[in-house]
Amino acid sequence: MLASPLSLTDLPVDFELPDDLIATEPVESAGGGREDARLMVARRADPADVDANDFERPLVHTTFARLGDFLDPGDLLVVNTSATLAAAVPAVGSDDGLLVHLSTELPGGLWLVELRRPAETGAGTQPFFDGAAGRTLSLPGGGAVDLLAPYPAGGPPARLWFAVLRLPAPVPAYLARHGRPIRYGYAGRPFPISAYQTVFAREPGSAEMPSAGRPFTTALVTDLVRRGVGISPVVLHTGVSSAEPGELPYPERYRVPPATAERVNATRAAGHRVIAVGTTVTRALETAADERGRAHPSQGWTELVITPERGTRVVDGLITGWHQPAGSHLLLVEAVAGRATVERSYAAAVEGRYRWHEFGDVHLILP
């Protein structure tokens, strides 16, 4: 069984996020295209190791459609080809109105599941902390989930559980029939599963969308390739994103193919940049990287937590969405960008009214 995570000891960047900056629907709902998402471009800088003039390089505010203008021939984008599952399933006959979110498939056929219930405000859901070891929840179509033990073991009352699924069909087929996309209260209305897929999605397995890839379109990918920018795949099946304050990322299943590891190493050896499309890609690549800064073919489950102290070994730049205040994802962003750049970018994003969450805007961090 996987080890239980510890609470955060590093303090991520904190800030006040106004509620009206949370994107409640995809940009295309208003008639635009995915590539119309706003893009802020920042360069890594830290007053401790650059001169004052360099640190004051301006942030660039543009749209994602212009991504190619900030990349060079020979740069490599690494993308996540995991596809999003309709991972929210109602518990049949539950007096609590429970929803079961299938978060992560674990070794030995176990699953990590999240329990949620309708929010007291009437909008969306909230964590459910009254599960019990040995409880079985009935699911639609004759399915069931057996709760084994809370995650993390020995922690406070848990919404996450080690569990066994008993389904009448393979998980993707079962969820396609009985599940729906995980949706939180800020989403104005339900959206089809297609709204939660990226252009790179090939292998079903993510509880929630690897959202950094969402603004890409086929036309934009074609333009990048025409410019000489490389694109290589990894897989990391994301778990639920609804972490409580102080929680670290959960174990997640990943794969870095041999061809991708080779291309990452060749790109860096040639003096070009490896840019991860999302925190999921960063976690996968850094799990596969050794202390000498070389990537290796690798697969399994990763519990790696990337912090500023640990830093990154093969990832030079990052394309990512805007993350919650004081969340663990911000420690990963800081590992790539440096504390000063993160603080500066996030202050500018709030002032400039960028949009947050999976349907929101984008942050490009370059060395």
Side-chain angles (χ1 to χ4, degrees):
M1 187 170 288
L2 297 171
S4 299
L6 302 175
S7 296
L8 291 175
T9 53
D10 293 314
L11 295 178
V13 171
D14 199 4
F15 58 94
E16 184 174 345
L17 176 62
D19 289 342
D20 63 351
L21 296 189
I22 296 175
T24 59
E25 59 183 25
V27 64
E28 58 266 30
S29 293
R34 291 190 177 198
E35 73 281 6
D36 294 328
R38 295 175 67 194
L39 175 68
M40 182 192 297
V41 184
R43 302 272 178 173
R44 179 185 174 102
D46 191 316
D49 56 24
V50 297
D51 64 46
N53 291 331
D54 197 37
F55 180 62
E56 292 302 324
R57 288 181 294 185
L59 301 169
V60 178
H61 303 275
T62 182
T63 65
F64 200 78
R66 289 192 56 207
L67 175 65
D69 295 346
F70 304 95
L71 303 178
D72 299 328
D75 285 345
L76 179 66
L77 295 180
V78 183
V79 302
N80 188 356
T81 59
S82 178
T84 310
L85 298 167
V89 185
V92 176
S94 167
D95 294 336
D96 305 301
L98 290 183
L99 274 177
V100 179
H101 289 179
L102 305 190
S103 177
T104 305
E105 183 181 4
L106 299 175
L110 298 179
W111 277 78
L112 196 63
V113 304
E114 179 189 32
L115 303 183
R116 297 185 73 86
R117 64 180 179 86
E120 295 176 357
T121 60
T125 62
Q126 64 187 42
F128 179 79
F129 295 105
D130 293 331
R135 181 177 179 182
T136 294
L137 300 173
S138 296
L139 302 178
V145 57
D146 302 323
L147 304 182
L148 301 182
Y151 177 89
R159 76 186 198 283
L160 287 161
W161 287 82
F162 291 108
V164 172
L165 297 183
R166 293 185 282 117
L167 304 179
V171 170
Y174 177 83
L175 293 178
R177 182 172 182 181
H178 298 288
R180 58 180 183 260
I182 289 175
R183 178 170 71 97
Y184 298 109
Y186 55 79
R189 56 187 174 86
F191 295 97
I193 191 66
S194 59
Y196 297 90
Q197 304 293 9
T198 74
V199 72
F200 305 113
R202 294 295 183 273
E203 184 176 322
S206 281
E208 300 189 33
M209 174 176 53
S211 56
R214 193 178 193 280
F216 285 88
T217 63
T218 300
L220 179 55
V221 170
T222 301
D223 177 65
L224 293 172
V225 173
R226 180 186 61 80
R227 292 171 181 256
V229 176
I231 300 177
S232 290
V234 299
V235 175
L236 186 138
H237 295 310
T238 69
V240 294
S241 65
S242 53
E244 294 293 291
E247 285 185 349
L248 297 178
Y250 318 123
E252 293 171 312
R253 188 159 48 103
Y254 79 101
R255 184 174 69 253
V256 176
T260 296
E262 291 174 8
R263 198 165 186 189
V264 165
N265 294 333
T267 297
R268 303 190 80 239
H272 300 298
R273 300 174 295 189
V274 174
I275 299 166
V277 179
T279 58
T280 63
V281 170
T282 307
R283 195 181 197 195
L285 285 179
E286 291 297 320
T287 299
D290 64 26
E291 294 181 354
R292 299 173 299 158
R294 289 187 60 82
H296 300 272
S298 180
Q299 63 181 340
W301 281 263
T302 177
E303 295 182 272
L304 177 65
V305 178
I306 300 171
T307 64
E309 181 180 3
R310 190 263 187 196
T312 57
R313 296 170 179 175
V314 296
V315 171
D316 302 306
L318 177 64
I319 294 172
T320 185
W322 298 95
H323 300 286
Q324 284 287 100
S328 63
H329 282 89
L330 283 172
L331 291 176
L332 184 153
V333 176
E334 185 179 335
V336 177
R339 182 85 173 199
T341 298
V342 174
E343 290 178 337
R344 185 174 174 225
S345 291
Y346 271 74
V350 171
E351 182 179 0
R353 301 196 60 78
Y354 279 71
R355 303 179 311 148
W356 257 251
H357 288 316
E358 69 267 29
F359 296 139
D361 296 315
V362 191
H363 192 192
L364 169 62
I365 302 162
L366 296 172

